[in-house]
PDB file of all heavy atoms in Angstrom:
ATOM      1  N   ARG A  68      58.999 154.293 143.874  1.00 97.00           N
ATOM      2  CA  ARG A  68      59.719 153.177 144.392  1.00 97.00           C
ATOM      3  C   ARG A  68      59.458 151.897 143.595  1.00 97.00           C
ATOM      4  O   ARG A  68      60.355 151.175 143.161  1.00 97.00           O
ATOM      5  CB  ARG A  68      59.315 152.986 145.873  1.00 97.00           C
ATOM      6  CG  ARG A  68      60.036 151.797 146.529  1.00 97.00           C
ATOM      7  CD  ARG A  68      61.502 152.090 146.743  1.00 97.00           C
ATOM      8  NE  ARG A  68      62.197 151.031 147.362  1.00 97.00           N
ATOM      9  CZ  ARG A  68      62.879 151.021 148.536  1.00 97.00           C
ATOM     10  NH1 ARG A  68      62.996 152.201 149.142  1.00 97.00           N
ATOM     11  NH2 ARG A  68      63.493 149.971 148.991  1.00 97.00           N
ATOM     12  N   PHE A  69      58.227 151.614 143.342  1.00 97.00           N
ATOM     13  CA  PHE A  69      57.856 150.402 142.538  1.00 97.00           C
ATOM     14  C   PHE A  69      58.232 150.498 141.080  1.00 97.00           C
ATOM     15  O   PHE A  69      58.572 149.501 140.480  1.00 97.00           O
ATOM     16  CB  PHE A  69      56.411 150.015 142.792  1.00 97.00           C
ATOM     17  CG  PHE A  69      56.110 149.451 144.124  1.00 97.00           C
ATOM     18  CD1 PHE A  69      55.582 150.242 145.155  1.00 97.00           C
ATOM     19  CD2 PHE A  69      56.449 148.120 144.355  1.00 97.00           C
ATOM     20  CE1 PHE A  69      55.305 149.677 146.405  1.00 97.00           C
ATOM     21  CE2 PHE A  69      56.159 147.596 145.667  1.00 97.00           C
ATOM     22  CZ  PHE A  69      55.604 148.327 146.675  1.00 97.00           C
ATOM     23  N   ALA A  70      58.128 151.735 140.528  1.00 96.00           N
ATOM     24  CA  ALA A  70      58.524 151.917 139.125  1.00 96.00           C
ATOM     25  C   ALA A  70      59.996 151.616 139.037  1.00 96.00           C
ATOM     26  O   ALA A  70      60.453 151.031 138.002  1.00 96.00           O
ATOM     27  CB  ALA A  70      58.247 153.364 138.670  1.00 96.00           C
ATOM     28  N   ALA A  71      60.828 152.065 139.997  1.00 95.00           N
ATOM     29  CA  ALA A  71      62.266 151.748 139.957  1.00 95.00           C
ATOM     30  C   ALA A  71      62.545 150.279 139.943  1.00 95.00           C
ATOM     31  O   ALA A  71      63.637 149.827 139.564  1.00 95.00           O
ATOM     32  CB  ALA A  71      62.956 152.479 141.082  1.00 95.00           C
ATOM     33  N   GLU A  72      61.637 149.493 140.548  1.00 94.00           N
ATOM     34  CA  GLU A  72      61.816 148.049 140.558  1.00 94.00           C
ATOM     35  C   GLU A  72      61.341 147.385 139.230  1.00 94.00           C
ATOM     36  O   GLU A  72      61.384 146.138 139.097  1.00 94.00           O
ATOM     37  CB  GLU A  72      61.019 147.434 141.720  1.00 94.00           C
ATOM     38  CG  GLU A  72      61.534 147.909 143.135  1.00 94.00           C
ATOM     39  CD  GLU A  72      60.720 147.248 144.189  1.00 94.00           C
ATOM     40  OE1 GLU A  72      59.821 146.448 143.947  1.00 94.00           O
ATOM     41  OE2 GLU A  72      61.024 147.582 145.382  1.00 94.00           O
ATOM     42  N   GLY A  73      60.848 148.189 138.309  1.00 95.00           N
ATOM     43  CA  GLY A  73      60.387 147.656 137.068  1.00 95.00           C
ATOM     44  C   GLY A  73      59.057 146.959 137.093  1.00 95.00           C
ATOM     45  O   GLY A  73      58.635 146.165 136.223  1.00 95.00           O
ATOM     46  N   ARG A  74      58.236 147.365 138.063  1.00 95.00           N
ATOM     47  CA  ARG A  74      56.887 146.717 138.247  1.00 95.00           C
ATOM     48  C   ARG A  74      55.896 147.356 137.292  1.00 95.00           C
ATOM     49  O   ARG A  74      55.919 148.528 136.965  1.00 95.00           O
ATOM     50  CB  ARG A  74      56.388 146.886 139.665  1.00 95.00           C
ATOM     51  CG  ARG A  74      57.299 146.321 140.712  1.00 95.00           C
ATOM     52  CD  ARG A  74      57.540 144.830 140.661  1.00 95.00           C
ATOM     53  NE  ARG A  74      56.278 144.156 140.868  1.00 95.00           N
ATOM     54  CZ  ARG A  74      55.834 143.713 142.022  1.00 95.00           C
ATOM     55  NH1 ARG A  74      56.610 143.953 143.089  1.00 95.00           N
ATOM     56  NH2 ARG A  74      54.695 143.070 142.177  1.00 95.00           N
ATOM     57  N   ALA A  75      54.874 146.535 136.919  1.00 96.00           N
ATOM     58  CA  ALA A  75      53.717 147.027 136.196  1.00 96.00           C
ATOM     59  C   ALA A  75      52.825 147.708 137.229  1.00 96.00           C
ATOM     60  O   ALA A  75      52.579 147.147 138.326  1.00 96.00           O
ATOM     61  CB  ALA A  75      52.967 145.864 135.528  1.00 96.00           C
ATOM     62  N   LEU A  76      52.328 148.912 136.906  1.00 98.00           N
ATOM     63  CA  LEU A  76      51.593 149.728 137.848  1.00 98.00           C
ATOM     64  C   LEU A  76      50.165 150.088 137.432  1.00 98.00           C
ATOM     65  O   LEU A  76      49.988 150.329 136.260  1.00 98.00           O
ATOM     66  CB  LEU A  76      52.360 151.041 138.108  1.00 98.00           C
ATOM     67  CG  LEU A  76      53.776 150.974 138.591  1.00 98.00           C
ATOM     68  CD1 LEU A  76      54.368 152.401 138.694  1.00 98.00           C
ATOM     69  CD2 LEU A  76      53.876 150.240 139.892  1.00 98.00           C
ATOM     70  N   VAL A  77      49.302 150.100 138.421  1.00 98.00           N
ATOM     71  CA  VAL A  77      47.950 150.703 138.183  1.00 98.00           C
ATOM     72  C   VAL A  77      47.909 151.836 139.205  1.00 98.00           C
ATOM     73  O   VAL A  77      47.969 151.585 140.472  1.00 98.00           O
ATOM     74  CB  VAL A  77      46.789 149.743 138.461  1.00 98.00           C
ATOM     75  CG1 VAL A  77      45.505 150.505 138.479  1.00 98.00           C
ATOM     76  CG2 VAL A  77      46.773 148.679 137.383  1.00 98.00           C
ATOM     77  N   LEU A  78      47.849 153.066 138.698  1.00 98.00           N
ATOM     78  CA  LEU A  78      47.863 154.267 139.604  1.00 98.00           C
ATOM     79  C   LEU A  78      46.422 154.837 139.641  1.00 98.00           C
ATOM     80  O   LEU A  78      45.856 155.155 138.633  1.00 98.00           O
ATOM     81  CB  LEU A  78      48.830 155.329 139.043  1.00 98.00           C
ATOM     82  CG  LEU A  78      50.241 154.845 138.847  1.00 98.00           C
ATOM     83  CD1 LEU A  78      51.094 155.995 138.297  1.00 98.00           C
ATOM     84  CD2 LEU A  78      50.834 154.240 140.135  1.00 98.00           C
ATOM     85  N   ALA A  79      45.880 154.922 140.850  1.00 98.00           N
ATOM     86  CA  ALA A  79      44.494 155.380 141.000  1.00 98.00           C
ATOM     87  C   ALA A  79      44.436 156.630 141.945  1.00 98.00           C
ATOM     88  O   ALA A  79      45.142 156.637 142.994  1.00 98.00           O
ATOM     89  CB  ALA A  79      43.656 154.270 141.551  1.00 98.00           C
ATOM     90  N   ASP A  80      43.619 157.550 141.573  1.00 97.00           N
ATOM     91  CA  ASP A  80      43.390 158.728 142.451  1.00 97.00           C
ATOM     92  C   ASP A  80      42.189 159.472 141.946  1.00 97.00           C
ATOM     93  O   ASP A  80      41.578 159.065 140.901  1.00 97.00           O
ATOM     94  CB  ASP A  80      44.662 159.623 142.510  1.00 97.00           C
ATOM     95  CG  ASP A  80      44.750 160.354 143.847  1.00 97.00           C
ATOM     96  OD1 ASP A  80      43.702 160.673 144.472  1.00 97.00           O
ATOM     97  OD2 ASP A  80      45.866 160.478 144.351  1.00 97.00           O
ATOM     98  N   MET A  81      41.825 160.579 142.618  1.00 96.00           N
ATOM     99  CA  MET A  81      40.593 161.283 142.316  1.00 96.00           C
ATOM    100  C   MET A  81      40.603 161.900 140.916  1.00 96.00           C
ATOM    101  O   MET A  81      39.659 161.844 140.167  1.00 96.00           O
ATOM    102  CB  MET A  81      40.385 162.322 143.430  1.00 96.00           C
ATOM    103  CG  MET A  81      39.135 163.161 143.155  1.00 96.00           C
ATOM    104  SD  MET A  81      37.615 162.269 143.447  1.00 96.00           S
ATOM    105  CE  MET A  81      37.559 162.262 145.222  1.00 96.00           C
ATOM    106  N   HIS A  82      41.733 162.613 140.606  1.00 97.00           N
ATOM    107  CA  HIS A  82      41.756 163.383 139.385  1.00 97.00           C
ATOM    108  C   HIS A  82      42.794 162.907 138.328  1.00 97.00           C
ATOM    109  O   HIS A  82      43.846 162.407 138.692  1.00 97.00           O
ATOM    110  CB  HIS A  82      42.079 164.884 139.773  1.00 97.00           C
ATOM    111  CG  HIS A  82      41.119 165.448 140.707  1.00 97.00           C
ATOM    112  ND1 HIS A  82      39.787 165.657 140.352  1.00 97.00           N
ATOM    113  CD2 HIS A  82      41.226 165.880 142.003  1.00 97.00           C
ATOM    114  CE1 HIS A  82      39.120 166.185 141.397  1.00 97.00           C
ATOM    115  NE2 HIS A  82      39.982 166.356 142.397  1.00 97.00           N
ATOM    116  N   ARG A  83      42.464 163.065 137.089  1.00 97.00           N
ATOM    117  CA  ARG A  83      43.247 162.490 136.003  1.00 97.00           C
ATOM    118  C   ARG A  83      44.562 163.210 135.795  1.00 97.00           C
ATOM    119  O   ARG A  83      45.646 162.627 135.601  1.00 97.00           O
ATOM    120  CB  ARG A  83      42.451 162.515 134.714  1.00 97.00           C
ATOM    121  CG  ARG A  83      43.144 161.871 133.535  1.00 97.00           C
ATOM    122  CD  ARG A  83      42.939 160.423 133.599  1.00 97.00           C
ATOM    123  NE  ARG A  83      43.522 159.654 132.484  1.00 97.00           N
ATOM    124  CZ  ARG A  83      43.424 158.364 132.298  1.00 97.00           C
ATOM    125  NH1 ARG A  83      42.715 157.643 133.169  1.00 97.00           N
ATOM    126  NH2 ARG A  83      43.982 157.755 131.314  1.00 97.00           N
ATOM    127  N   GLU A  84      44.536 164.562 135.846  1.00 97.00           N
ATOM    128  CA  GLU A  84      45.729 165.318 135.460  1.00 97.00           C
ATOM    129  C   GLU A  84      46.918 165.036 136.336  1.00 97.00           C
ATOM    130  O   GLU A  84      48.021 164.821 135.885  1.00 97.00           O
ATOM    131  CB  GLU A  84      45.412 166.815 135.447  1.00 97.00           C
ATOM    132  CG  GLU A  84      44.542 167.287 134.308  1.00 97.00           C
ATOM    133  CD  GLU A  84      44.361 168.739 134.179  1.00 97.00           C
ATOM    134  OE1 GLU A  84      44.977 169.483 134.983  1.00 97.00           O
ATOM    135  OE2 GLU A  84      43.570 169.171 133.367  1.00 97.00           O
ATOM    136  N   PRO A  85      46.769 165.041 137.706  1.00 97.00           N
ATOM    137  CA  PRO A  85      47.942 164.684 138.529  1.00 97.00           C
ATOM    138  C   PRO A  85      48.466 163.265 138.219  1.00 97.00           C
ATOM    139  O   PRO A  85      49.690 163.026 138.367  1.00 97.00           O
ATOM    140  CB  PRO A  85      47.377 164.810 139.936  1.00 97.00           C
ATOM    141  CG  PRO A  85      46.201 165.706 139.861  1.00 97.00           C
ATOM    142  CD  PRO A  85      45.610 165.366 138.578  1.00 97.00           C
ATOM    143  N   LEU A  86      47.550 162.315 137.958  1.00 97.00           N
ATOM    144  CA  LEU A  86      48.060 160.986 137.672  1.00 97.00           C
ATOM    145  C   LEU A  86      48.853 161.003 136.334  1.00 97.00           C
ATOM    146  O   LEU A  86      49.846 160.317 136.239  1.00 97.00           O
ATOM    147  CB  LEU A  86      46.830 160.090 137.450  1.00 97.00           C
ATOM    148  CG  LEU A  86      46.076 159.646 138.746  1.00 97.00           C
ATOM    149  CD1 LEU A  86      44.815 158.878 138.402  1.00 97.00           C
ATOM    150  CD2 LEU A  86      46.998 158.840 139.630  1.00 97.00           C
ATOM    151  N   GLU A  87      48.402 161.721 135.362  1.00 97.00           N
ATOM    152  CA  GLU A  87      49.161 161.811 134.059  1.00 97.00           C
ATOM    153  C   GLU A  87      50.521 162.450 134.304  1.00 97.00           C
ATOM    154  O   GLU A  87      51.504 162.046 133.658  1.00 97.00           O
ATOM    155  CB  GLU A  87      48.327 162.573 133.026  1.00 97.00           C
ATOM    156  CG  GLU A  87      47.102 161.816 132.581  1.00 97.00           C
ATOM    157  CD  GLU A  87      46.250 162.613 131.587  1.00 97.00           C
ATOM    158  OE1 GLU A  87      46.372 163.851 131.558  1.00 97.00           O
ATOM    159  OE2 GLU A  87      45.398 161.995 130.900  1.00 97.00           O
ATOM    160  N   ALA A  88      50.516 163.532 135.108  1.00 97.00           N
ATOM    161  CA  ALA A  88      51.844 164.112 135.400  1.00 97.00           C
ATOM    162  C   ALA A  88      52.739 163.144 136.119  1.00 97.00           C
ATOM    163  O   ALA A  88      53.984 163.110 135.757  1.00 97.00           O
ATOM    164  CB  ALA A  88      51.634 165.348 136.270  1.00 97.00           C
ATOM    165  N   LEU A  89      52.286 162.406 137.051  1.00 97.00           N
ATOM    166  CA  LEU A  89      53.136 161.395 137.731  1.00 97.00           C
ATOM    167  C   LEU A  89      53.623 160.310 136.776  1.00 97.00           C
ATOM    168  O   LEU A  89      54.788 159.973 136.787  1.00 97.00           O
ATOM    169  CB  LEU A  89      52.308 160.773 138.860  1.00 97.00           C
ATOM    170  CG  LEU A  89      53.006 159.594 139.676  1.00 97.00           C
ATOM    171  CD1 LEU A  89      54.291 160.144 140.344  1.00 97.00           C
ATOM    172  CD2 LEU A  89      52.045 159.031 140.689  1.00 97.00           C
ATOM    173  N   ALA A  90      52.659 159.834 135.967  1.00 97.00           N
ATOM    174  CA  ALA A  90      53.059 158.773 134.989  1.00 97.00           C
ATOM    175  C   ALA A  90      54.130 159.250 134.044  1.00 97.00           C
ATOM    176  O   ALA A  90      55.070 158.536 133.675  1.00 97.00           O
ATOM    177  CB  ALA A  90      51.812 158.341 134.241  1.00 97.00           C
ATOM    178  N   GLY A  91      54.088 160.566 133.707  1.00 96.00           N
ATOM    179  CA  GLY A  91      55.060 161.140 132.797  1.00 96.00           C
ATOM    180  C   GLY A  91      56.432 161.177 133.378  1.00 96.00           C
ATOM    181  O   GLY A  91      57.434 161.205 132.563  1.00 96.00           O
ATOM    182  N   GLU A  92      56.618 161.232 134.706  1.00 94.00           N
ATOM    183  CA  GLU A  92      57.923 161.287 135.265  1.00 94.00           C
ATOM    184  C   GLU A  92      58.501 159.962 135.723  1.00 94.00           C
ATOM    185  O   GLU A  92      59.692 159.832 136.014  1.00 94.00           O
ATOM    186  CB  GLU A  92      57.894 162.203 136.532  1.00 94.00           C
ATOM    187  CG  GLU A  92      57.198 161.617 137.729  1.00 94.00           C
ATOM    188  CD  GLU A  92      57.321 162.533 138.943  1.00 94.00           C
ATOM    189  OE1 GLU A  92      56.647 163.557 139.033  1.00 94.00           O
ATOM    190  OE2 GLU A  92      58.157 162.172 139.840  1.00 94.00           O
ATOM    191  N   LEU A  93      57.664 158.950 135.688  1.00 96.00           N
ATOM    192  CA  LEU A  93      58.105 157.642 136.106  1.00 96.00           C
ATOM    193  C   LEU A  93      58.975 156.974 135.065  1.00 96.00           C
ATOM    194  O   LEU A  93      58.561 156.892 133.870  1.00 96.00           O
ATOM    195  CB  LEU A  93      56.964 156.696 136.505  1.00 96.00           C
ATOM    196  CG  LEU A  93      56.127 157.163 137.700  1.00 96.00           C
ATOM    197  CD1 LEU A  93      55.014 156.193 137.960  1.00 96.00           C
ATOM    198  CD2 LEU A  93      56.964 157.341 138.951  1.00 96.00           C
ATOM    199  N   LYS A  94      60.041 156.422 135.408  1.00 88.00           N
ATOM    200  CA  LYS A  94      60.923 155.707 134.535  1.00 88.00           C
ATOM    201  C   LYS A  94      61.158 154.291 135.025  1.00 88.00           C
ATOM    202  O   LYS A  94      61.335 154.068 136.171  1.00 88.00           O
ATOM    203  CB  LYS A  94      62.289 156.388 134.431  1.00 88.00           C
ATOM    204  CG  LYS A  94      62.240 157.916 134.077  1.00 88.00           C
ATOM    205  CD  LYS A  94      61.619 158.188 132.750  1.00 88.00           C
ATOM    206  CE  LYS A  94      61.620 159.664 132.441  1.00 88.00           C
ATOM    207  NZ  LYS A  94      60.957 159.996 131.139  1.00 88.00           N
ATOM    208  N   GLY A  95      61.136 153.323 134.082  1.00 90.00           N
ATOM    209  CA  GLY A  95      61.464 151.978 134.435  1.00 90.00           C
ATOM    210  C   GLY A  95      60.315 151.083 134.712  1.00 90.00           C
ATOM    211  O   GLY A  95      60.471 149.827 134.761  1.00 90.00           O
ATOM    212  N   ALA A  96      59.076 151.626 134.868  1.00 91.00           N
ATOM    213  CA  ALA A  96      57.918 150.778 135.073  1.00 91.00           C
ATOM    214  C   ALA A  96      57.620 149.928 133.843  1.00 91.00           C
ATOM    215  O   ALA A  96      57.781 150.357 132.747  1.00 91.00           O
ATOM    216  CB  ALA A  96      56.642 151.629 135.415  1.00 91.00           C
ATOM    217  N   ALA A  97      57.240 148.670 134.096  1.00 92.00           N
ATOM    218  CA  ALA A  97      56.945 147.787 133.018  1.00 92.00           C
ATOM    219  C   ALA A  97      55.759 148.281 132.184  1.00 92.00           C
ATOM    220  O   ALA A  97      55.741 148.179 130.964  1.00 92.00           O
ATOM    221  CB  ALA A  97      56.669 146.370 133.508  1.00 92.00           C
ATOM    222  N   SER A  98      54.734 148.821 132.918  1.00 95.00           N
ATOM    223  CA  SER A  98      53.606 149.392 132.246  1.00 95.00           C
ATOM    224  C   SER A  98      52.857 150.222 133.265  1.00 95.00           C
ATOM    225  O   SER A  98      53.027 150.050 134.484  1.00 95.00           O
ATOM    226  CB  SER A  98      52.668 148.353 131.661  1.00 95.00           C
ATOM    227  OG  SER A  98      52.118 147.561 132.736  1.00 95.00           O
ATOM    228  N   ILE A  99      52.103 151.204 132.830  1.00 97.00           N
ATOM    229  CA  ILE A  99      51.337 152.101 133.729  1.00 97.00           C
ATOM    230  C   ILE A  99      49.946 152.260 133.230  1.00 97.00           C
ATOM    231  O   ILE A  99      49.720 152.649 132.083  1.00 97.00           O
ATOM    232  CB  ILE A  99      52.014 153.411 133.846  1.00 97.00           C
ATOM    233  CG1 ILE A  99      53.463 153.363 134.385  1.00 97.00           C
ATOM    234  CG2 ILE A  99      51.249 154.331 134.799  1.00 97.00           C
ATOM    235  CD1 ILE A  99      54.180 154.681 134.416  1.00 97.00           C
ATOM    236  N   ASP A 100      48.967 151.949 134.032  1.00 97.00           N
ATOM    237  CA  ASP A 100      47.649 152.244 133.739  1.00 97.00           C
ATOM    238  C   ASP A 100      47.061 153.196 134.798  1.00 97.00           C
ATOM    239  O   ASP A 100      47.421 153.143 135.961  1.00 97.00           O
ATOM    240  CB  ASP A 100      46.748 150.937 133.809  1.00 97.00           C
ATOM    241  CG  ASP A 100      47.040 149.999 132.635  1.00 97.00           C
ATOM    242  OD1 ASP A 100      46.476 150.165 131.574  1.00 97.00           O
ATOM    243  OD2 ASP A 100      47.940 149.094 132.823  1.00 97.00           O
ATOM    244  N   LEU A 101      46.240 154.132 134.374  1.00 98.00           N
ATOM    245  CA  LEU A 101      45.708 155.207 135.237  1.00 98.00           C
ATOM    246  C   LEU A 101      44.196 154.965 135.392  1.00 98.00           C
ATOM    247  O   LEU A 101      43.418 154.704 134.437  1.00 98.00           O
ATOM    248  CB  LEU A 101      45.992 156.537 134.624  1.00 98.00           C
ATOM    249  CG  LEU A 101      47.405 156.841 134.240  1.00 98.00           C
ATOM    250  CD1 LEU A 101      47.499 158.270 133.684  1.00 98.00           C
ATOM    251  CD2 LEU A 101      48.298 156.681 135.459  1.00 98.00           C
ATOM    252  N   VAL A 102      43.723 155.170 136.668  1.00 98.00           N
ATOM    253  CA  VAL A 102      42.339 155.061 136.934  1.00 98.00           C
ATOM    254  C   VAL A 102      41.944 156.261 137.823  1.00 98.00           C
ATOM    255  O   VAL A 102      42.430 156.369 138.934  1.00 98.00           O
ATOM    256  CB  VAL A 102      41.940 153.768 137.667  1.00 98.00           C
ATOM    257  CG1 VAL A 102      40.443 153.728 137.901  1.00 98.00           C
ATOM    258  CG2 VAL A 102      42.381 152.578 136.879  1.00 98.00           C
ATOM    259  N   ASP A 103      41.131 157.159 137.355  1.00 97.00           N
ATOM    260  CA  ASP A 103      40.697 158.334 138.122  1.00 97.00           C
ATOM    261  C   ASP A 103      39.234 158.151 138.579  1.00 97.00           C
ATOM    262  O   ASP A 103      38.425 157.539 137.882  1.00 97.00           O
ATOM    263  CB  ASP A 103      40.853 159.608 137.343  1.00 97.00           C
ATOM    264  CG  ASP A 103      40.057 159.628 136.092  1.00 97.00           C
ATOM    265  OD1 ASP A 103      40.468 158.901 135.113  1.00 97.00           O
ATOM    266  OD2 ASP A 103      39.087 160.337 135.964  1.00 97.00           O
ATOM    267  N   GLY A 104      38.974 158.689 139.759  1.00 96.00           N
ATOM    268  CA  GLY A 104      37.628 158.643 140.254  1.00 96.00           C
ATOM    269  C   GLY A 104      37.625 158.599 141.812  1.00 96.00           C
ATOM    270  O   GLY A 104      38.661 158.544 142.386  1.00 96.00           O
ATOM    271  N   ASP A 105      36.389 158.581 142.342  1.00 96.00           N
ATOM    272  CA  ASP A 105      36.207 158.635 143.816  1.00 96.00           C
ATOM    273  C   ASP A 105      36.364 157.212 144.335  1.00 96.00           C
ATOM    274  O   ASP A 105      35.590 156.292 144.008  1.00 96.00           O
ATOM    275  CB  ASP A 105      34.790 159.168 144.110  1.00 96.00           C
ATOM    276  CG  ASP A 105      34.491 159.314 145.549  1.00 96.00           C
ATOM    277  OD1 ASP A 105      35.208 158.752 146.370  1.00 96.00           O
ATOM    278  OD2 ASP A 105      33.561 160.013 145.916  1.00 96.00           O
ATOM    279  N   VAL A 106      37.319 157.013 145.245  1.00 94.00           N
ATOM    280  CA  VAL A 106      37.592 155.665 145.779  1.00 94.00           C
ATOM    281  C   VAL A 106      36.421 155.099 146.509  1.00 94.00           C
ATOM    282  O   VAL A 106      36.370 153.893 146.670  1.00 94.00           O
ATOM    283  CB  VAL A 106      38.876 155.726 146.717  1.00 94.00           C
ATOM    284  CG1 VAL A 106      38.537 156.547 147.938  1.00 94.00           C
ATOM    285  CG2 VAL A 106      39.398 154.378 146.985  1.00 94.00           C
ATOM    286  N   ALA A 107      35.515 155.897 146.972  1.00 95.00           N
ATOM    287  CA  ALA A 107      34.361 155.425 147.739  1.00 95.00           C
ATOM    288  C   ALA A 107      33.206 154.906 146.846  1.00 95.00           C
ATOM    289  O   ALA A 107      32.170 154.523 147.390  1.00 95.00           O
ATOM    290  CB  ALA A 107      33.858 156.468 148.690  1.00 95.00           C
ATOM    291  N   THR A 108      33.356 154.916 145.558  1.00 96.00           N
ATOM    292  CA  THR A 108      32.314 154.561 144.609  1.00 96.00           C
ATOM    293  C   THR A 108      32.571 153.197 144.029  1.00 96.00           C
ATOM    294  O   THR A 108      33.704 152.774 143.804  1.00 96.00           O
ATOM    295  CB  THR A 108      32.104 155.527 143.509  1.00 96.00           C
ATOM    296  OG1 THR A 108      33.218 155.557 142.665  1.00 96.00           O
ATOM    297  CG2 THR A 108      31.888 156.917 144.029  1.00 96.00           C
ATOM    298  N   SER A 109      31.471 152.405 143.724  1.00 96.00           N
ATOM    299  CA  SER A 109      31.616 151.147 143.108  1.00 96.00           C
ATOM    300  C   SER A 109      32.186 151.242 141.639  1.00 96.00           C
ATOM    301  O   SER A 109      32.903 150.392 141.192  1.00 96.00           O
ATOM    302  CB  SER A 109      30.251 150.398 143.061  1.00 96.00           C
ATOM    303  OG  SER A 109      29.301 151.154 142.332  1.00 96.00           O
ATOM    304  N   ASP A 110      31.872 152.320 140.944  1.00 97.00           N
ATOM    305  CA  ASP A 110      32.364 152.486 139.637  1.00 97.00           C
ATOM    306  C   ASP A 110      33.920 152.580 139.663  1.00 97.00           C
ATOM    307  O   ASP A 110      34.633 152.028 138.740  1.00 97.00           O
ATOM    308  CB  ASP A 110      31.883 153.828 139.028  1.00 97.00           C
ATOM    309  CG  ASP A 110      30.342 153.715 138.624  1.00 97.00           C
ATOM    310  OD1 ASP A 110      29.887 152.588 138.582  1.00 97.00           O
ATOM    311  OD2 ASP A 110      29.769 154.697 138.291  1.00 97.00           O
ATOM    312  N   HIS A 111      34.510 153.266 140.663  1.00 97.00           N
ATOM    313  CA  HIS A 111      35.905 153.344 140.734  1.00 97.00           C
ATOM    314  C   HIS A 111      36.557 151.970 140.984  1.00 97.00           C
ATOM    315  O   HIS A 111      37.566 151.642 140.387  1.00 97.00           O
ATOM    316  CB  HIS A 111      36.359 154.365 141.784  1.00 97.00           C
ATOM    317  CG  HIS A 111      37.765 154.664 141.808  1.00 97.00           C
ATOM    318  ND1 HIS A 111      38.436 155.300 140.761  1.00 97.00           N
ATOM    319  CD2 HIS A 111      38.735 154.560 142.800  1.00 97.00           C
ATOM    320  CE1 HIS A 111      39.667 155.484 141.038  1.00 97.00           C
ATOM    321  NE2 HIS A 111      39.879 155.045 142.311  1.00 97.00           N
ATOM    322  N   ARG A 112      35.972 151.240 141.919  1.00 96.00           N
ATOM    323  CA  ARG A 112      36.489 149.946 142.257  1.00 96.00           C
ATOM    324  C   ARG A 112      36.397 149.027 140.969  1.00 96.00           C
ATOM    325  O   ARG A 112      37.362 148.290 140.692  1.00 96.00           O
ATOM    326  CB  ARG A 112      35.730 149.326 143.384  1.00 96.00           C
ATOM    327  CG  ARG A 112      35.902 150.024 144.688  1.00 96.00           C
ATOM    328  CD  ARG A 112      35.271 149.210 145.821  1.00 96.00           C
ATOM    329  NE  ARG A 112      33.831 149.206 145.754  1.00 96.00           N
ATOM    330  CZ  ARG A 112      33.018 150.131 146.273  1.00 96.00           C
ATOM    331  NH1 ARG A 112      33.531 151.214 146.859  1.00 96.00           N
ATOM    332  NH2 ARG A 112      31.751 150.047 146.220  1.00 96.00           N
TER     333      ARG A 112
END
């Protein structure tokens, strides 16, 4: 939804591969950055 609005995105989740697959299908986003890791850790934040 936000990619269709042309927004710059930071996509975060546990694993890298699903994020890369999602980024590959998104069209229109101004930019996409991926962050993988455990949301409950300070490193991820």
